[in-house]
Amino acid sequence: MIRILIAEDVNLLRGALVTLLEFEDDLEVVAAIADGAQVVPAALSHQPDVAVLDVGLPGMDGISAAALLKEELPACRSLIVTGLGRPGTLHRALEADVPGYVLKDASPEKLVRAVRAVAAGEKVYDPELALAAWSGGVNPLTLREEEVLWLVRSGAGAPEIAARLSLSVGTVRNYLTAIVAKLNARNLVDALRVAEESGWLI
């Protein structure tokens, strides 16, 4: 029996995933949650074999949750499920050594096969998206710059970002200037657009 944790913030989709996977004789959903920050605590409590994670979770995005889960519970392998067919997002998943990445418009049969393959230690990536990621550009932002830009998108100003990341306001402003320059953007709003469209900011 393959034990599964599901993390999906849309109630209807979460319920549909639970129903779909539990229909299979060899699959058992042991936890279904809505927040990325709950992934590791729930996994440590329920000891799943596979974590099926939406990429755009609140609290902590699915790829970050998968990376943390790999550190805290290496026996649990992650499968990212996303509606965002963005090469940059797959780049992030590959950098985090996430073993599985499929699109939400995949057939139910394909998702079930992906869960079984990931549980068996295989790597599963959507072939069309993998090809696009292979030929696409590389994210020029550092992890810290991504974090700063994510906070900007959430509405935080430089003083709040500095407080949350334990940085000086001057350092935050330097990061913001670097982000705009690296993305060849006109301003921060334009930088957010470029990062989101490229899949570099979840």
Side-chain angles (χ1 to χ4, degrees):
M1 187 67 73
I2 299 171
R3 295 167 59 82
I4 302 166
L5 177 149
I6 294 173
E8 164 61 62
D9 62 316
V10 178
N11 291 337
L12 185 62
L13 290 178
R14 187 169 65 252
L17 283 170
V18 170
T19 301
L20 168 67
L21 295 175
E22 289 212 317
F23 187 76
E24 303 295 323
D25 292 337
D26 60 334
L27 306 182
E28 178 188 8
V29 177
V30 296
I33 58 177
D35 192 291
Q38 299 172 358
V39 169
V40 170
L44 291 174
S45 175
H46 296 280
Q47 298 291 307
D49 302 301
V50 177
V52 178
L53 310 174
D54 177 36
V55 75
L57 292 169
M60 177 184 295
D61 70 77
I63 296 173
S64 298
L68 186 57
L69 185 57
K70 184 178 179 182
E71 293 178 9
E72 299 292 331
L73 190 66
C76 179
R77 296 169 58 79
S78 295
L79 173 64
I80 297 292
V81 181
T82 179
L84 304 174
R86 296 173 177 168
T89 310
L90 178 56
H91 268 298
R92 279 196 61 208
L94 293 171
E95 289 170 1
D97 198 26
V98 174
Y101 191 104
V102 297
L103 296 174
K104 284 183 178 178
D105 62 1
S107 67
E109 295 79 13
K110 185 174 181 180
L111 176 62
V112 169
R113 286 198 304 270
V115 169
R116 290 180 178 137
V118 167
E122 300 173 24
K123 291 185 180 292
V124 180
Y125 302 111
D126 181 272
E128 292 183 10
L129 191 56
L131 181 61
W134 183 261
S135 59
V138 177
N139 183 358
L141 303 179
T142 65
L143 289 176
R144 177 62 91 183
E145 288 165 348
E146 285 182 25
E147 194 171 15
V148 168
L149 194 55
W150 188 87
L151 289 170
V152 168
R153 184 176 63 178
S154 72
E160 183 181 347
I161 295 171
R164 291 182 64 173
L165 300 182
S166 300
L167 300 170
S168 72
V169 174
T171 298
V172 170
R173 287 182 177 142
N174 288 340
Y175 277 126
L176 296 174
T177 300
I179 289 166
V180 171
K182 285 185 177 182
L183 299 183
N184 294 316
R186 295 184 298 276
N187 49 43
L188 269 178
V189 173
D190 192 38
L192 278 169
R193 178 192 60 78
V194 172
E196 288 175 345
E197 289 181 356
S198 300
W200 297 330
L201 190 65
I202 294 174

